[in-house]
Amino acid sequence: MARSTGRSTTHLTRRLVQLYVGLALYGASSALLVRAGLGLEPWGVLHQGLAELTGISIGVVSIIVGAVVLLLWIPLRQRPGLGTVSNVFVVGLAMDGTLAVVGDLDALGVRIPVMVLGIVLNGVATGLYIAARFGPGPRDGLMTGLNQITGRSIRLVRTAIEVAVVVTGFLLGGSLGAGTVLYALAIGPLAQLFLRLFALPEASAPAVVVASGEPSTLAPDAGSGPVAAPTPGQAILPQ
């Protein structure tokens, strides 16, 4: 019994480490995309646009937007997990912290590698966070909630949310560019790779996984109707 309890404690500790390292790296990767200045991920475009409009740091804007989106879960009857609440705060704080350390970049020869590093690091962060299985990010909970309420496919709901977010962010001054396109194309395969790398053994059913703001990975068929709400043991990508 003691040995079994010890293994359980070690397993939980590893999951917690993966959760918070993944969220911190997610914020850091988003900050690198900001410094590269070649285009942000969809929700990053909105965060940057709101930061430009309000004068608030982009990390704090990310926290505020995450909290507002989380409030939308109430009428949608979505259930947050530890990862959901942690996502709201850790990603934004890590983003501002990284921006404070990494200064502005001017040379294109530096900005392109930083952009690529940011995208790859985001894939690593995605694998760590999702594999920890502590609940979906607030924005993905919005997606699954709308999927259940409207009966529309995951693909349609996701696309509608992302288009609205990107257009709004761009009109507010957010950055669109090659990085946005490359991120959208690369994050799905990267998430799939690192999910396998960081996967932890689990007796329960496998998690539902949707890549944040980008193509879905291991998700329900894109043309299907409503999907079951993720349980607290399931995880969906942050942002």
Side-chain angles (χ1 to χ4, degrees):
M1 177 68 72
R3 184 175 301 176
S4 176
T5 301
R7 284 198 300 267
S8 179
T9 301
T10 300
H11 184 71
L12 177 60
T13 300
R14 179 176 172 181
R15 288 177 62 205
L16 287 168
V17 169
Q18 283 199 193
L19 170 66
Y20 289 107
V21 170
L23 292 176
L25 289 179
Y26 201 100
S29 68
S30 296
L32 291 179
L33 291 176
V34 171
R35 287 300 185 222
L38 296 171
L40 304 180
E41 73 278 16
W43 282 92
V45 177
L46 176 62
H47 297 157
Q48 188 180 54
L50 288 171
E52 293 286 340
L53 178 67
T54 63
I56 302 173
S57 74
I58 190 170
V60 173
V61 167
S62 174
I63 292 172
I64 294 172
V65 170
V68 171
V69 172
L70 192 55
L71 289 176
L72 296 177
W73 282 34
I74 297 174
L76 297 176
R77 299 181 180 179
Q78 298 294 288
R79 293 181 297 169
L82 175 64
T84 309
V85 179
S86 298
N87 178 290
V88 173
F89 298 99
V90 177
V91 171
L93 293 174
M95 192 173 185
D96 274 351
T98 303
L99 289 172
V101 173
V102 180
D104 294 331
L105 304 174
D106 296 322
L108 188 62
V110 175
R111 291 163 60 201
I112 292 177
V114 168
M115 175 192 70
V116 173
L117 175 61
I119 293 172
V120 173
L121 188 62
N122 194 278
V124 173
T126 295
L128 285 167
Y129 168 80
I130 293 179
R133 299 187 303 272
F134 276 109
R139 296 155 184 84
D140 286 293
L142 174 65
M143 176 195 68
T144 55
L146 289 174
N147 164 256
Q148 290 178 307
I149 293 296
T150 65
R152 302 297 183 179
S153 69
I154 285 287
R155 177 176 58 193
L156 180 61
V157 173
R158 189 77 193 196
T159 300
I161 292 174
E162 300 298 340
V163 169
V165 164
V166 169
V167 170
T168 302
F170 178 71
L171 292 176
L172 293 174
S175 175
L176 279 176
T180 309
V181 176
L182 183 59
Y183 183 92
L185 295 175
I187 192 61
L190 285 172
Q192 187 87 10
L193 171 64
F194 289 110
L195 272 167
R196 291 172 179 169
L197 182 62
F198 298 121
L200 293 169
E202 176 63 36
S204 62
V208 175
V209 179
V210 178
S212 170
E214 300 71 31
S216 51
T217 62
L218 302 181
D221 179 72
S224 64
V227 298
T231 66
Q234 294 178 319
I236 301 178
L237 182 62
Q239 305 259 19

